[in-house]
């Protein structure tokens, strides 16, 4: 079963003086159980708008969506998920501990479990020392951590996170990546938006790129990375063999000991055969690939 | 919904609203002194002053707590996090309303007890002409509470359509002022004195009379101050009016709020 099922989702905002913004122009997207999905897109692409529609905060102009089979907007559709809004804000007169208890109660957690889970998540997100202070005095990153903690307290099956890494220090980001990888191991599904391709490459199974309200790409990270292979960097020893035989290949770099050739994917077998025939010693082969970042930039660039 | 009521009460207490009221209520101590200056009907005057002070504090509370509750949640972006939880919008709104109303009741009880002590003290020094009927005084405060709870419901209804705090706060004040005179206006236009008013004006005023809340029925101050009996069927009608009016206001608010876009 799909945990998220979006069909033809459109959203038009009507601003002041009847100006209209088409924030979403027909999004179709299905997220399977156990999948870690990265929702990439430049600023203003419609990531948060999609997520707000899913959470029933705004109503789509057209199209439908369901979360675990429940129509969006219903209380039932929010009953089994952990949601982190973009730049979250929580009742700032409460302490982190009180807020987590409040969230747990809305998910109808039994008292003993709630106490145990509140302690666990506070420790996991390094909020333990601050847990008895009102959130009014928290730093941006600490509030973000509370946001993550409140998605995890009831151990939901699906996480919907709008920029989970935003505002976190490198240690915090690494922690979030570890948390997501751990969730994956436990068969949970995660749908998160970001503009940082590196995060996606490290943790996601699949990625969707949204540009100006349209889903421009949708593929597994593995596929993208594989398709991204442009060729190989082959390092050879300068002192051995006849390098003139390899004149057909571009030389990328040379120094006193090595010559490095750039070999396109199609020419690899020929190169290796020639090198063998002319006793050229190959010391290193490295794959040259476009990373997700350039893939992302290419797609965004195409949209312009 | 009960969790939201709890959170609401916690918020009001942590914002030191209660402490603020307690400081204001220190004015009670001055009342016997002030009343003595009048030389006559000292106890009646202290009763009038304490009841008015309680009424004023409750007016401030219903205007500012009622008028800013939803606005604050939207403005500070709490709605994104809270409405993403498995809570219904209606439950949320009713919880917010319930918490505010409960706080008002609590304040009235505490202030009522303090007022009772002050008036009892004055009465022991300056015995009143007629004995104080404490039951009527309590009833007067209770109906004042109902009146302001109704006003909170008005403030919530305005908040559900407004994007600023300006409209709810001033709209509520305006409703309060208008609600205090609708009965008089109604009686005036149905009296011979209003012969030369245009019929359109009359119809408009009658329409407003039925639309706006009528607060005069909730006012039992005179009965409390002079120990006059209160007719039971009048009270019953007022309570029924309160239930129906607040029920309607909250249903409209809930319907509007659950359709509202949180963007
Ligand atoms: N309340 C609103 N009123 C009018 N237009 C809006 C509103 N909210 C968003 N938009 C528009 O919708 C589009 C998508 O916005 P959205 O917030 O979904 O972007 P995003 O992908 O989350 O961007 P970011 O990476 O900056 O968070 C933008 O063009 C934005 O201007
Ligand atoms: Mg966003």
């Amino acid at each position: 079963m799909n945990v998220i099922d979006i069909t033809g989702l459109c959203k038009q905002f009507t601003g002041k003086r009847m100006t209209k913004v088409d924030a979403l122009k027909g999004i179709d997207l299905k997220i399977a159980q156990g999948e870690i999905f990265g929702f990439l897109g430049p600023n203003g692409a419609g990531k948060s708008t999609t997520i707000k529609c899913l959470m029933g905060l705004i109503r789509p102009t057209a199209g439908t969506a369901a979360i675990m089979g429940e129509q969006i907007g219903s209380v039932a559709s929010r009953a089994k998920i952990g949601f982190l809004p973009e730049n979250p804000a929580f009742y700032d007169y409460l302490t982190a501990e009180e807020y987590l208890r409040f969230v747990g109660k809305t998910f109808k957690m039994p008292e003993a479990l709630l106490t145990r889970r509140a302690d666990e998540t506070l420790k996991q997100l390094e909020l333990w020392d601050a847990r008895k202070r009102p959130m009014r005095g928290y730093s941006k990153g600490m509030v973000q951590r509370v946001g993550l903690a409140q998605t995890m307290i009831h151990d939901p099956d699906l996480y919907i996170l709008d920029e989970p890494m935003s505002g976190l220090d490198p240690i915090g980001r690494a922690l979030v990546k570890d948390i997501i990888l751990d969730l994956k191991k436990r068969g949970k599904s995660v749908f998160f938006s970001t503009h940082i391709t590196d995060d996606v490459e490290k943790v996601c199974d699949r990625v969707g790129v949204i540009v100006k309200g349209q889903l421009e790409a949708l593929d597994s990270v593995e596929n993208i990375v594989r398709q991204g292979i442009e060729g190989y960097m082959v390092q050879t020893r300068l002192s051995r063999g006849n390098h003139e035989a390899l004149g057909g290949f571009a030389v990328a770099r040379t120094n006193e000991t090595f010559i490095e050739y750039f070999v396109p994917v199609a020419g690899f077998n020929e190169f290796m055969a020639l090198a063998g025939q002319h006793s050229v010693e190959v010391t290193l082969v490295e794959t040259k690939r476009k990373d997700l970042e350039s893939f992302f930039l290419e797609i965004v660039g195409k949209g312009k | 919904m009960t969790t939201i009521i709890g959170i609401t009460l916690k918020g009001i207490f942590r914002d030191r609203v209660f402490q603020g009221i307690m400081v204001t209520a220190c004015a009670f101590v001055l009342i016997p002194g002030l009343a003595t200056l009048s030389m006559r009907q000292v106890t009646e005057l202290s009763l009038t002053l304490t009841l008015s002070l309680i009424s004023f504090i409750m007016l401030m509370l219903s205007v500012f707590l009622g008028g800013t509750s939803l606005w604050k949640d939207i403005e500070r972006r709490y709605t994104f996090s809270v409405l993403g939880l498995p809570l219904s919008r209606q439950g949320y709104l009713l919880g917010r309303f319930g918490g505010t109303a409960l706080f008002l009741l609590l304040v009235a009880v505490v202030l009522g007890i303090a007022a009772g002590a002050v008036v009892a003290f004055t009465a022991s020094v300056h015995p009143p002409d007629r004995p104080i009927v404490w039951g009527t005084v309590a009833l007067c405060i209770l109906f004042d509470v109902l009146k302001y709870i109704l006003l909170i419901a008005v403030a919530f209804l305005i908040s559900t359509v407004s994007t600023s705090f300006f409209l709810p706060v001033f709209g509520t004040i305006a409703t309060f002022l208008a609600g205090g005179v609708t009965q008089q206006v109604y009686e005036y236009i149905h009296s011979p004195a209003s012969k030369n008013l245009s019929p359109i004006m009359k119809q408009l005023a009658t329409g407003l009379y039925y639309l706006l809340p009528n607060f005069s029925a909730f006012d039992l101050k005179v009965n409390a101050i002079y120990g006059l009996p209160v007719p039971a069927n009048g009270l019953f009608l007022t309570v029924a009016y309160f239930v129906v009016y607040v029920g309607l206001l909250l249903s409209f608010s809930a319907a509007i709020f659950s359709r509202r876009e949180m963007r």
Side-chain angles (χ1 to χ4, degrees):
Chain A
M1 192 189 71
N2 291 320
V3 288
I4 298 180
D5 207 325
I6 304 175
T7 10
L9 202 69
C10 294
K11 178 68 192 176
Q12 186 178 60
F13 286 110
T14 313
K16 295 220 169 77
R17 282 183 240 105
M18 300 312 277
T19 47
K20 291 207 161 69
V21 181
D22 281 307
L24 297 178
K25 303 168 190 159
I27 302 283
D28 292 294
L29 189 57
K30 290 178 184 18
I31 312 293
Q33 170 74 48
E35 193 172 26
I36 310 292
F37 185 86
F39 199 33
L40 265 174
N43 290 130
K47 302 183 293 296
S48 300
T49 305
T50 310
I51 290 177
K52 280 180 195 166
C53 283
L54 285 178
M55 297 312 299
L57 293 167
I58 54 180
R59 245 168 309 119
T61 327
T64 56
I67 295 174
M68 297 183 185
E70 299 285 350
Q71 281 303 306
I72 52 164
S74 63
V75 173
S77 74
R78 297 192 292 270
K80 287 181 196 136
I81 55 182
F83 166 55
L84 172 72
E86 178 177 40
N87 305 321
F90 306 106
Y91 294 129
D92 62 1
Y93 54 84
L94 295 180
T95 68
E97 192 173 38
E98 285 169 332
Y99 193 76
L100 289 188
R101 296 190 63 83
F102 161 68
V103 171
K105 275 187 207 144
T106 65
F107 283 100
K108 303 192 168 62
M109 288 173 74
E111 187 59 34
L113 179 67
L114 177 53
T115 310
R116 183 167 64 78
R117 285 293 300 154
D119 287 2
E120 279 172 11
T121 42
L122 284 168
K123 281 181 187 150
Q124 191 176 7
L125 287 150
E126 281 147 30
L127 290 165
W128 186 251
D129 295 332
R131 73 187 188 285
K132 299 245 186 258
R133 278 199 274 138
M135 288 189 275
R136 188 169 288 160
Y138 282 13
S139 72
K140 183 177 177 214
M142 286 164 81
V143 173
Q144 184 77 9
R145 281 165 191 259
V146 175
L148 288 160
Q150 58 93 40
T151 62
M152 294 164 56
I153 180 147
H154 53 296
D155 194 31
D157 292 330
L158 169 64
Y159 290 75
I160 296 181
L161 314 173
D162 201 348
E163 296 187 28
M165 322 267 188
S166 122
L168 294 179
D169 59 24
I171 305 163
R173 302 172 91 89
L175 179 68
V176 173
K177 276 182 212 167
D178 285 346
I179 289 174
I180 295 179
L181 289 173
D182 180 57
L183 292 174
K184 179 178 167 57
K185 247 183 253 156
R186 292 169 44 220
K188 310 285 187 183
S189 323
V190 182
F191 176 92
F192 75 96
S193 82
T194 179
H195 356 79
I196 302 161
T197 50
D198 193 48
D199 296 342
V200 171
E201 204 162 338
K202 295 242 165 65
V203 300
C204 290
D205 299 318
R206 214 152 57 100
V207 53
V209 181
I210 182 172
V211 184
K212 292 186 181 159
Q214 267 163 333
L215 209 54
E216 295 289 349
L218 185 64
D219 208 345
S220 72
V221 173
E222 207 183 294
N223 265 350
I224 294 171
V225 169
R226 198 183 315 123
Q227 278 168 15
I229 298 178
E230 292 171 310
Y232 304 90
M233 193 58 77
V234 185
Q235 192 188 56
T236 58
R237 202 175 289 282
L238 181 59
S239 56
R240 298 212 35 198
N242 176 12
H243 283 274
E244 261 150 50
L246 299 169
F249 295 95
V251 175
R253 227 163 46 143
T254 55
N255 61 18
E256 298 94 72
T257 22
F258 300 114
I259 300 186
E260 280 180 16
Y261 294 94
F262 176 75
V263 184
V265 180
F268 187 68
N269 286 338
E270 187 197 347
F271 181 92
M272 291 311 274
L274 281 172
Q277 278 165 29
H278 296 90
S279 347
V280 172
E281 184 192 350
V282 173
T283 49
L284 188 71
V285 179
E286 223 173 56
T287 336
K288 276 282 157 200
R289 58 160 64 107
K290 284 192 291 189
D291 55 6
L292 205 56
E293 174 109 16
S294 40
F295 170 77
F296 173 62
L297 291 175
E298 208 170 88
I299 290 169
V300 174
K302 230 180 346 194
K304 285 203 178 119
Chain B
M1 196 170 103
T2 42
T3 40
I4 294 290
I5 292 181
I7 289 287
T8 307
L9 284 174
K10 236 182 215 166
I12 297 174
F13 276 102
R14 298 248 168 112
D15 280 341
R16 307 241 153 75
V17 176
F18 192 71
Q19 289 88 327
I21 291 166
M22 287 307 123
V23 172
T24 319
C26 289
F28 276 149
V29 187
L30 304 175
I31 285 175
L34 275 177
T36 331
L37 296 178
S38 80
M39 311 293 276
R40 311 170 22 247
Q41 293 198 321
V42 175
T43 303
E44 284 83 349
L45 188 57
S46 349
L47 199 51
T48 314
L49 288 175
T50 44
L51 289 179
S52 305
L53 185 61
I54 294 178
S55 208
F56 177 73
I57 290 175
M58 287 202 288
L59 171 64
M60 289 295 129
L61 284 180
S62 32
V63 168
F64 289 102
L65 291 182
T68 60
S69 179
L70 290 181
W71 167 77
K72 238 200 277 183
D73 287 352
I74 294 170
E75 182 68 17
R76 298 194 181 163
R77 311 171 3 95
Y78 297 151
T79 40
F80 293 133
S81 47
V82 179
L83 297 179
L85 299 170
L87 296 167
S88 69
R89 297 257 182 118
Q90 290 92 328
Y92 181 77
L93 181 108
L94 293 180
R96 275 301 201 201
F97 171 79
T100 315
L102 213 57
F103 180 73
L104 193 78
L105 183 64
L106 189 78
V107 167
V109 168
V110 173
L111 291 183
I113 291 169
V118 168
V119 174
F121 168 75
T122 323
S124 69
V125 183
H126 307 271
D129 303 340
R130 294 169 64 108
I132 298 170
V133 187
W134 290 107
T136 315
V137 175
L139 210 59
C140 167
I141 297 177
L142 179 70
F143 273 76
D144 233 20
V145 171
L146 295 186
K147 172 167 105 180
Y148 290 111
I149 288 179
L150 196 155
L151 196 62
I152 294 175
V154 172
F156 267 72
L157 177 63
I158 304 176
S159 300
T160 55
V161 291
S162 158
T163 51
S164 75
F165 77 94
F166 189 81
L167 193 63
V169 165
F170 290 94
T172 309
I173 294 175
T175 310
F176 174 75
L177 296 177
V181 298
T182 45
Q183 189 66 40
Q184 280 146 282
V185 172
Y186 182 77
E187 276 157 19
Y188 169 73
I189 58 170
H190 287 87
S191 72
S194 66
K195 254 198 305 257
N196 42 11
L197 264 179
S198 77
I200 295 171
M201 277 296 287
K202 277 190 184 178
Q203 266 170 5
L204 192 72
T206 314
L208 279 177
Y209 171 76
Y210 287 113
L211 194 67
L212 287 170
N214 184 344
F215 288 138
S216 53
F218 292 90
D219 193 355
L220 303 179
K221 276 206 187 64
V222 176
N223 306 62
I225 292 163
Y226 299 105
L228 305 175
V230 188
N233 62 336
L235 290 185
F236 177 77
L237 272 181
T238 309
V239 171
Y241 176 79
F242 168 82
V243 170
V244 172
Y245 205 102
V246 170
L248 283 175
L249 286 175
L250 290 180
S251 318
F252 283 130
S253 310
I256 297 169
F257 190 64
S258 55
R259 272 173 194 76
R260 183 157 176 172
E261 300 255 288
M262 295 297 152
R263 40 191 225 179

